[in-house]
Amino acid sequence: MSLFTLPTIDTAPEASRPTMQALRENFGFLPNVLATMGANPVLLNGFAGAFGAYHGGGFDECERQVLLLTNAVTLRCPWTIAAHSTFALEDGLTVQEVDDLRAGRLPANPRYAALSRLARLILEKHGVISDREITAFTAAGFVKEQVFEVILSVGLSTMTAATTNLARTPIEDHFMAQVPSAA
């Protein structure tokens, strides 16, 4: 059961409403986590700004979902695992790639593996990673500065996972097929 009432666009604080509307238009629906965040415009608007920057960066949609799903699994968040498994499949990752990421395995695709490995290391080591790990990332075809976009993905995922876990945000029907079995 959710700890907080999910505001609608009409019941959310005035400062949250334009962002909630824009996010609903972007997704085609308003994900429950964003409705939850809408109770506090500081969190919602901060998330939305970071979300926009992340989606304007140098990774393609599949690469972004590799990062976000890796983060969800590493953070052990049922809502984000279900959501990003769904989005990853919708964006073009294969069932095998999604299954590998959900199981904590690196995908066979070398670029996806490099992204997943780096994201997991940043989360597990709190950003304290070696030059060798950065070299492995760039050897997969990325530029060194893209490490900072991986860090942004970690920040977005941390905001989402902390919000859904703390608020006990319910998982939408749209994502139910991808809910982790232990959830």
Side-chain angles (χ1 to χ4, degrees):
M1 173 136 204
S2 182
L3 184 60
F4 294 88
T5 301
L6 295 178
T8 65
I9 292 171
D10 294 331
T11 64
E14 187 66 38
S16 292
R17 293 177 188 175
T19 303
M20 291 172 76
Q21 179 65 36
L23 290 166
R24 182 175 68 186
E25 290 171 13
N26 182 67
F27 285 100
F29 67 102
L30 185 64
N32 287 343
V33 68
L34 300 177
T36 302
M37 288 181 183
N40 185 296
V42 173
L43 175 60
L44 178 67
N45 292 324
F47 176 86
F51 178 84
Y54 180 64
H55 284 274
F59 297 125
D60 66 29
E61 284 305 316
C62 288
E63 292 167 340
R64 287 184 195 105
Q65 290 305 327
V66 166
L67 288 167
L68 296 170
L69 182 53
T70 297
N71 297 341
V73 170
T74 305
L75 291 165
R76 297 182 186 106
C77 175
W79 190 97
T80 57
I81 291 170
H84 289 295
S85 295
T86 301
F87 293 143
L89 292 166
E90 290 172 355
D91 286 343
L93 264 67
T94 67
V95 170
Q96 183 63 54
E97 289 165 335
V98 170
D99 287 348
D100 285 343
L101 291 166
R102 287 171 60 108
R105 296 184 302 263
L106 297 176
N109 178 308
R111 284 179 65 86
Y112 295 170
L115 285 168
S116 183
R117 181 183 304 111
L118 184 63
R120 189 175 333 149
L121 287 170
I122 288 170
L123 275 163
E124 291 173 349
K125 296 183 174 189
H126 309 285
V128 182
I129 57 177
S130 71
D131 292 349
R132 185 180 84 243
E133 291 154 342
I134 300 297
T135 300
F137 176 72
T138 59
F142 298 105
V143 296
K144 183 172 53 175
E145 291 75 18
Q146 284 181 292
V147 168
F148 298 122
E149 288 182 53
V150 176
I151 291 169
L152 181 56
S153 82
V154 167
L156 286 165
S157 294
T158 301
M159 283 190 276
T160 305
T163 299
T164 61
N165 288 337
L166 179 134
R168 298 180 197 103
T169 302
I171 299 172
E172 296 88 325
D173 289 343
H174 183 76
F175 304 136
M176 289 306 284
Q178 296 300 323
V179 172
S181 56

